[in-house]
Amino acid sequence: MHPFSHTRARTVEDAVCAIAQGGPGARFMAGGTTLYDLMKLNIETPNRVVDITGLEELDRIDTSGRSELVFGALARMSDVAEHPQIVAEYPALSESLWRAASQQLRNMATLGGNLLQRTRCAYFRGGEPFACNKRDLGSGCAAQQGIDRGHALLGGSDSCIAVYPGDLAVALVAFDAMIDIQGPDGQRTIAVEELHREPGKTPNIETTLMPGELILRIRVPKTAIGRASTYHKIRDRESYAFALASAAVALDMDGDTVRTARIAIGGLATRPWRARAAEQVLENRAFTPQTAREAGDAALLGARPGHHNAFRVELGARTVADALMIAKQRA
Ligand SMILES: Cc1cc2nc3c(=O)[nH]c(=O)nc-3n(C[C@H](O)[C@H](O)[C@H](O)COP(=O)(O)OP(=O)(O)OC[C@H]3O[C@@H](n4cnc5c(N)ncnc54)[C@H](O)[C@@H]3O)c2cc1C
């Protein structure tokens, strides 16, 4: 047991100040479903936990604006998944949430925490017997010579092939969502697509957040393309499992011709992966099962299979193609 202090923040300023005072070992705690899990495994050993669950200004869901949906970082996964307007107008967002984790977890977990969940790589979570550059930079990557069935085909490096496991971020990337962030030096905004880093030589640095920065809210531009969207998730069992392959897609059609396509894939890469080459395959072309499959192949271009995961190149391409067929039915 590593001793740590527990502080309850009453305002955003309080939270940012308390985390700065705690230094690099301090962590925000929202729903706690990832943080406490990793603390029990001794992967996260914070000296200070700053509980942000009392920041009521961060738990709002506002769909009333003309140009964007706004989700506070503390909005619960279940509340956004079940929101009637999200279900009807942005099914990909709703599905990415209700196909994640379990109802109990979704009732507890927040959107901000969901974006910042860490990889499920067994060598990362397994702790010290296993080399892991993400945990201990320079120690190596046990996954490269180990069981890599669930590891990344896209965005990996010699240092790390751990998959980014979350679902919501994939849908947000497809919808060009942004996040507002509060740090010690003020606020800034970045695209969700810029939040997660590829591992390169420093897989221990997972996001572009600066130390002590707090996610305040997620903003999703309103778009009519949302209605013809889906989040299609393929996994080892029907529920309560992470993606082997997933796709968030949306279509804007002119008759049978695709005007615009949005495609992002999950479970296959080291970060949420926008598949722009796949979008271009479809745009200004007639939509058919064949062109959907071509887009699927384009989404997996550059995939680098390891020892046990080559089957997920085909699975990924089929997942994208199937997702597009579902979205087309909603267009
Ligand atoms: C058994 C199990 C199965 C799961 N299956 C899935 C799945 O299929 N798909 C999926 O997407 N997820 C899945 N998850 C992950 C789950 O969705 C996350 O644990 C949850 O969303 C994290 O949210 P939280 O509020 O509990 O975060 P916390 O555990 O409180 O925080 C997670 C991390 O984010 C940081 N943090 C939290 N909020 C903020 C903020 N506002 N600003 C800055 N930093 C912050 C914390 O410091 C911590 O590092 C699963 C989890 C479990 C335990």
Side-chain angles (χ1 to χ4, degrees), residues 4-234:
F4 62 92
S5 70
H6 184 273
T7 309
R8 243 175 226 282
R10 281 163 306 161
T11 64
V12 165
E13 292 69 31
D14 252 11
V16 171
C17 187
I19 212 89
Q21 284 166 357
R27 293 284 180 274
F28 292 120
M29 197 277 289
T33 62
T34 282
L35 183 66
Y36 285 154
D37 190 23
L38 291 172
M39 285 168 72
K40 285 191 274 181
L41 293 171
N42 268 332
I43 306 299
E44 291 269 14
T45 52
N47 60 335
R48 166 177 282 205
V49 169
V50 178
D51 180 342
I52 56 174
T53 51
L55 306 182
E56 284 175 18
E57 64 200 278
L58 300 191
D59 69 9
R60 304 205 176 114
I61 301 172
D62 184 359
T63 59
S64 64
R66 275 167 58 96
S67 59
E68 57 188 20
L69 311 166
V70 183
F71 305 121
L74 293 177
R76 305 284 166 180
M77 289 172 70
S78 50
D79 290 338
V80 179
E82 291 156 21
H83 191 289
Q85 197 177 339
I86 307 301
V87 172
E89 296 177 17
Y90 299 86
L93 285 181
S94 165
E95 290 164 5
S96 74
L97 288 163
W98 70 255
R99 295 205 162 115
S102 63
Q103 188 65 40
Q104 291 92 334
L105 283 158
R106 293 190 295 269
N107 287 344
M108 193 75 200
T110 66
L111 299 202
N114 185 281
L115 293 182
L116 295 177
Q117 64 181 284
R118 304 190 68 188
T119 186
R120 310 301 288 194
C121 170
Y123 302 102
F124 167 76
R125 289 171 62 86
E128 267 190 9
F130 304 109
C132 175
N133 286 319
K134 204 179 257 307
R135 245 189 305 105
D136 180 13
L137 188 61
S139 64
C141 172
Q144 312 258 0
Q145 301 308 323
I147 310 283
D148 60 6
R149 178 177 182 272
H151 286 75
L153 298 157
L154 294 161
S157 70
D158 290 344
S159 300
C160 182
I161 51 170
V163 155
Y164 173 76
D167 295 301
L168 170 68
V170 179
L172 291 175
V173 161
F175 284 123
D176 292 326
M178 314 290 288
I179 48 174
D180 295 333
I181 301 161
Q182 176 80 48
D185 302 324
Q187 272 195 35
R188 66 189 182 104
T189 297
I190 61 169
V192 174
E193 195 174 359
E194 292 165 28
L195 175 63
H196 299 94
R197 295 173 77 249
E198 284 177 34
K201 290 184 179 358
T202 52
N204 54 320
I205 306 173
E206 296 175 353
T207 71
T208 55
L209 290 183
M210 304 301 286
E213 282 189 324
L214 177 72
I215 299 180
L216 299 175
R217 65 188 73 81
I218 299 163
R219 294 189 282 116
V220 184
K222 282 194 169 175
T223 165
I225 203 173
R227 277 190 186 271
S229 74
T230 190
Y231 185 76
H232 192 46
K233 179 172 175 182
I234 305 300

Side-chain angles (χ1 to χ4, degrees), residues 226-245:
R227 277 190 186 271
S229 74
T230 190
Y231 185 76
H232 192 46
K233 179 172 175 182
I234 305 300
R235 40 195 160 167
D236 280 326
R237 58 182 177 216
E238 179 54 29
S239 80
Y240 201 28
F242 288 89
L244 283 174

